Short mmCIF file of all heavy atoms in Angstrom, two decimals:
data_model
loop_
_atom_site.label_atom_id
_atom_site.label_comp_id
_atom_site.label_asym_id
_atom_site.label_seq_id
_atom_site.Cartn_x
_atom_site.Cartn_y
_atom_site.Cartn_z
N LEU A 1 -45.20 -117.91 -71.73
CA LEU A 1 -44.43 -119.14 -71.54
C LEU A 1 -44.61 -120.07 -72.74
O LEU A 1 -43.63 -120.64 -73.26
CB LEU A 1 -44.86 -119.83 -70.25
CG LEU A 1 -44.05 -121.06 -69.83
CD1 LEU A 1 -42.64 -120.64 -69.41
CD2 LEU A 1 -44.74 -121.78 -68.68
N LYS A 2 -45.83 -120.23 -73.19
CA LYS A 2 -46.12 -121.10 -74.34
C LYS A 2 -45.46 -120.56 -75.60
O LYS A 2 -44.92 -121.32 -76.42
CB LYS A 2 -47.64 -121.20 -74.53
CG LYS A 2 -48.06 -122.14 -75.65
CD LYS A 2 -49.57 -122.22 -75.76
CE LYS A 2 -49.99 -123.15 -76.90
NZ LYS A 2 -51.47 -123.22 -77.03
N GLN A 3 -45.50 -119.24 -75.77
CA GLN A 3 -44.88 -118.63 -76.95
C GLN A 3 -43.38 -118.90 -76.98
O GLN A 3 -42.82 -119.28 -78.02
CB GLN A 3 -45.13 -117.12 -76.95
CG GLN A 3 -44.41 -116.38 -78.08
CD GLN A 3 -44.31 -114.89 -77.81
OE1 GLN A 3 -45.10 -114.34 -77.07
NE2 GLN A 3 -43.32 -114.24 -78.41
N MET A 4 -42.71 -118.71 -75.84
CA MET A 4 -41.26 -118.91 -75.79
C MET A 4 -40.89 -120.38 -75.97
O MET A 4 -39.88 -120.71 -76.58
CB MET A 4 -40.69 -118.37 -74.46
CG MET A 4 -40.88 -116.88 -74.27
SD MET A 4 -40.24 -115.88 -75.64
CE MET A 4 -38.49 -116.27 -75.56
N TRP A 5 -41.72 -121.28 -75.45
CA TRP A 5 -41.49 -122.71 -75.65
C TRP A 5 -41.57 -123.07 -77.13
O TRP A 5 -40.78 -123.85 -77.64
CB TRP A 5 -42.51 -123.51 -74.84
CG TRP A 5 -42.42 -124.99 -75.04
CD1 TRP A 5 -43.13 -125.75 -75.91
CD2 TRP A 5 -41.53 -125.90 -74.38
NE1 TRP A 5 -42.76 -127.07 -75.83
CE2 TRP A 5 -41.77 -127.20 -74.89
CE3 TRP A 5 -40.56 -125.75 -73.39
CZ2 TRP A 5 -41.08 -128.33 -74.46
CZ3 TRP A 5 -39.87 -126.87 -72.96
CH2 TRP A 5 -40.12 -128.13 -73.48
N GLY A 6 -42.53 -122.45 -77.81
CA GLY A 6 -42.71 -122.74 -79.23
C GLY A 6 -41.58 -122.21 -80.10
O GLY A 6 -41.41 -122.66 -81.24
N GLU A 7 -40.78 -121.27 -79.61
CA GLU A 7 -39.68 -120.71 -80.39
C GLU A 7 -38.40 -121.54 -80.31
O GLU A 7 -37.38 -121.16 -80.88
CB GLU A 7 -39.41 -119.26 -79.94
CG GLU A 7 -40.54 -118.32 -80.31
CD GLU A 7 -40.26 -116.88 -79.90
OE1 GLU A 7 -39.13 -116.60 -79.46
OE2 GLU A 7 -41.17 -116.04 -80.02
N GLY A 8 -38.45 -122.64 -79.57
CA GLY A 8 -37.28 -123.54 -79.53
C GLY A 8 -36.37 -123.29 -78.35
O GLY A 8 -36.46 -122.27 -77.67
N ARG A 9 -35.48 -124.23 -78.13
CA ARG A 9 -34.65 -124.18 -76.91
C ARG A 9 -33.67 -123.02 -76.89
O ARG A 9 -33.32 -122.52 -75.83
CB ARG A 9 -33.90 -125.50 -76.71
CG ARG A 9 -32.86 -125.81 -77.76
CD ARG A 9 -32.30 -127.22 -77.58
NE ARG A 9 -31.21 -127.49 -78.49
CZ ARG A 9 -29.93 -127.36 -78.18
NH1 ARG A 9 -29.59 -126.97 -76.97
NH2 ARG A 9 -28.98 -127.62 -79.06
N THR A 10 -33.23 -122.56 -78.07
CA THR A 10 -32.29 -121.44 -78.08
C THR A 10 -32.93 -120.15 -77.61
O THR A 10 -32.24 -119.22 -77.21
CB THR A 10 -31.71 -121.23 -79.50
OG1 THR A 10 -32.78 -121.00 -80.41
CG2 THR A 10 -30.92 -122.45 -79.95
N GLN A 11 -34.27 -120.07 -77.67
CA GLN A 11 -34.98 -118.91 -77.13
C GLN A 11 -35.55 -119.21 -75.75
O GLN A 11 -35.51 -118.35 -74.86
CB GLN A 11 -36.13 -118.53 -78.08
CG GLN A 11 -35.68 -117.92 -79.39
CD GLN A 11 -35.02 -116.57 -79.21
OE1 GLN A 11 -35.58 -115.67 -78.59
NE2 GLN A 11 -33.82 -116.42 -79.74
N PHE A 12 -36.04 -120.44 -75.56
CA PHE A 12 -36.71 -120.76 -74.29
C PHE A 12 -35.72 -120.83 -73.13
O PHE A 12 -36.00 -120.31 -72.04
CB PHE A 12 -37.46 -122.08 -74.42
CG PHE A 12 -38.18 -122.47 -73.15
CD1 PHE A 12 -39.36 -121.83 -72.79
CD2 PHE A 12 -37.68 -123.46 -72.32
CE1 PHE A 12 -40.03 -122.17 -71.62
CE2 PHE A 12 -38.34 -123.80 -71.15
CZ PHE A 12 -39.52 -123.16 -70.81
N LEU A 13 -34.57 -121.46 -73.33
CA LEU A 13 -33.63 -121.62 -72.22
C LEU A 13 -33.10 -120.29 -71.69
O LEU A 13 -33.10 -120.06 -70.48
CB LEU A 13 -32.49 -122.56 -72.63
CG LEU A 13 -32.87 -124.04 -72.72
CD1 LEU A 13 -31.69 -124.88 -73.18
CD2 LEU A 13 -33.38 -124.55 -71.38
N PRO A 14 -32.62 -119.36 -72.55
CA PRO A 14 -32.23 -118.05 -72.01
C PRO A 14 -33.39 -117.35 -71.31
O PRO A 14 -33.19 -116.69 -70.28
CB PRO A 14 -31.78 -117.27 -73.25
CG PRO A 14 -31.39 -118.31 -74.24
CD PRO A 14 -32.31 -119.46 -73.99
N PHE A 15 -34.60 -117.51 -71.85
CA PHE A 15 -35.78 -116.88 -71.24
C PHE A 15 -36.03 -117.43 -69.84
O PHE A 15 -36.12 -116.68 -68.87
CB PHE A 15 -36.99 -117.13 -72.15
CG PHE A 15 -38.33 -116.91 -71.48
CD1 PHE A 15 -38.83 -115.64 -71.31
CD2 PHE A 15 -39.09 -117.99 -71.04
CE1 PHE A 15 -40.06 -115.43 -70.70
CE2 PHE A 15 -40.31 -117.80 -70.43
CZ PHE A 15 -40.80 -116.51 -70.26
N ILE A 16 -36.13 -118.76 -69.72
CA ILE A 16 -36.50 -119.35 -68.43
C ILE A 16 -35.36 -119.21 -67.42
O ILE A 16 -35.60 -119.04 -66.22
CB ILE A 16 -36.92 -120.83 -68.62
CG1 ILE A 16 -37.75 -121.30 -67.42
CG2 ILE A 16 -35.72 -121.73 -68.83
CD1 ILE A 16 -39.10 -120.61 -67.31
N ILE A 17 -34.12 -119.28 -67.89
CA ILE A 17 -32.98 -119.09 -66.98
C ILE A 17 -32.95 -117.66 -66.47
O ILE A 17 -32.63 -117.40 -65.29
CB ILE A 17 -31.66 -119.48 -67.68
CG1 ILE A 17 -31.61 -121.00 -67.88
CG2 ILE A 17 -30.45 -119.01 -66.87
CD1 ILE A 17 -30.44 -121.49 -68.70
N THR A 18 -33.28 -116.69 -67.33
CA THR A 18 -33.36 -115.29 -66.88
C THR A 18 -34.43 -115.15 -65.81
O THR A 18 -34.21 -114.48 -64.78
CB THR A 18 -33.69 -114.37 -68.07
OG1 THR A 18 -32.67 -114.48 -69.06
CG2 THR A 18 -33.80 -112.92 -67.62
N VAL A 19 -35.58 -115.76 -66.03
CA VAL A 19 -36.67 -115.70 -65.05
C VAL A 19 -36.21 -116.27 -63.70
O VAL A 19 -36.34 -115.62 -62.66
CB VAL A 19 -37.91 -116.47 -65.55
CG1 VAL A 19 -38.97 -116.57 -64.46
CG2 VAL A 19 -38.49 -115.81 -66.79
N VAL A 20 -35.66 -117.47 -63.73
CA VAL A 20 -35.24 -118.13 -62.49
C VAL A 20 -34.13 -117.34 -61.80
O VAL A 20 -34.14 -117.15 -60.58
CB VAL A 20 -34.79 -119.58 -62.79
CG1 VAL A 20 -34.19 -120.22 -61.54
CG2 VAL A 20 -35.95 -120.40 -63.32
N ALA A 21 -33.17 -116.86 -62.58
CA ALA A 21 -32.04 -116.13 -62.01
C ALA A 21 -32.48 -114.83 -61.34
O ALA A 21 -32.01 -114.50 -60.24
CB ALA A 21 -31.01 -115.83 -63.10
N ILE A 22 -33.40 -114.10 -61.97
CA ILE A 22 -33.88 -112.85 -61.37
C ILE A 22 -34.66 -113.13 -60.09
O ILE A 22 -34.50 -112.45 -59.07
CB ILE A 22 -34.74 -112.05 -62.38
CG1 ILE A 22 -33.86 -111.54 -63.53
CG2 ILE A 22 -35.44 -110.88 -61.70
CD1 ILE A 22 -34.63 -110.84 -64.62
N VAL A 23 -35.50 -114.15 -60.15
CA VAL A 23 -36.31 -114.49 -58.97
C VAL A 23 -35.43 -114.92 -57.80
O VAL A 23 -35.69 -114.57 -56.64
CB VAL A 23 -37.33 -115.60 -59.32
CG1 VAL A 23 -38.02 -116.14 -58.07
CG2 VAL A 23 -38.36 -115.07 -60.31
N LEU A 24 -34.36 -115.67 -58.10
CA LEU A 24 -33.52 -116.22 -57.02
C LEU A 24 -32.38 -115.30 -56.61
O LEU A 24 -31.67 -115.59 -55.64
CB LEU A 24 -32.95 -117.57 -57.45
CG LEU A 24 -33.97 -118.69 -57.69
CD1 LEU A 24 -33.28 -119.98 -58.05
CD2 LEU A 24 -34.86 -118.88 -56.46
N THR A 25 -32.14 -114.21 -57.34
CA THR A 25 -31.08 -113.26 -56.94
C THR A 25 -31.70 -111.87 -56.86
O THR A 25 -32.43 -111.56 -55.96
CB THR A 25 -29.91 -113.29 -57.95
OG1 THR A 25 -30.40 -113.02 -59.28
CG2 THR A 25 -29.24 -114.66 -57.95
N ASP A 26 -31.36 -111.03 -57.81
CA ASP A 26 -32.02 -109.73 -57.97
C ASP A 26 -32.02 -109.38 -59.45
O ASP A 26 -31.51 -110.13 -60.28
CB ASP A 26 -31.34 -108.64 -57.13
CG ASP A 26 -29.87 -108.47 -57.48
OD1 ASP A 26 -29.51 -108.59 -58.67
OD2 ASP A 26 -29.07 -108.20 -56.56
N LEU A 27 -32.60 -108.23 -59.77
CA LEU A 27 -32.81 -107.90 -61.18
C LEU A 27 -31.50 -107.82 -61.96
O LEU A 27 -31.38 -108.41 -63.03
CB LEU A 27 -33.58 -106.57 -61.28
CG LEU A 27 -34.07 -106.18 -62.67
CD1 LEU A 27 -35.42 -105.50 -62.59
CD2 LEU A 27 -33.09 -105.26 -63.36
N LEU A 28 -30.52 -107.12 -61.43
CA LEU A 28 -29.28 -106.91 -62.18
C LEU A 28 -28.51 -108.21 -62.36
O LEU A 28 -28.09 -108.55 -63.47
CB LEU A 28 -28.41 -105.86 -61.48
CG LEU A 28 -27.13 -105.49 -62.22
CD1 LEU A 28 -27.44 -104.88 -63.58
CD2 LEU A 28 -26.28 -104.54 -61.39
N VAL A 29 -28.32 -108.96 -61.29
CA VAL A 29 -27.58 -110.22 -61.36
C VAL A 29 -28.30 -111.20 -62.29
O VAL A 29 -27.68 -111.87 -63.13
CB VAL A 29 -27.40 -110.84 -59.96
CG1 VAL A 29 -26.79 -112.23 -60.05
CG2 VAL A 29 -26.54 -109.94 -59.09
N GLY A 30 -29.61 -111.28 -62.16
CA GLY A 30 -30.39 -112.19 -63.01
C GLY A 30 -30.29 -111.83 -64.48
O GLY A 30 -30.15 -112.72 -65.34
N ILE A 31 -30.34 -110.54 -64.79
CA ILE A 31 -30.21 -110.09 -66.18
C ILE A 31 -28.85 -110.50 -66.74
O ILE A 31 -28.73 -110.98 -67.87
CB ILE A 31 -30.38 -108.56 -66.27
CG1 ILE A 31 -31.87 -108.20 -66.24
CG2 ILE A 31 -29.77 -108.01 -67.55
CD1 ILE A 31 -32.62 -108.52 -67.50
N LEU A 32 -27.80 -110.29 -65.97
CA LEU A 32 -26.45 -110.64 -66.44
C LEU A 32 -26.31 -112.15 -66.65
O LEU A 32 -25.67 -112.59 -67.61
CB LEU A 32 -25.40 -110.13 -65.43
CG LEU A 32 -25.30 -108.61 -65.31
CD1 LEU A 32 -24.30 -108.22 -64.23
CD2 LEU A 32 -24.91 -107.99 -66.64
#
């Protein structure tokens, strides 16, 4: 988490949104 935060918002936001989306839906939907 710290590493992705340090890489800036263009890397952190897709990362954290992918995490949240997979957790709240399923693997395939979250990845998309």
Side-chain angles (χ1 to χ4, degrees):
L1 186 69
K2 183 178 179 181
Q3 175 198 336
M4 297 307 296
W5 176 266
E7 291 182 7
R9 66 188 186 95
T10 58
Q11 289 293 307
F12 180 76
L13 287 178
F15 163 79
I16 200 67
I17 290 173
T18 300
V19 172
V20 173
I22 292 176
V23 171
L24 296 182
T25 57
D26 58 37
L27 189 144
L28 184 62
V29 173
I31 280 287
L32 294 176

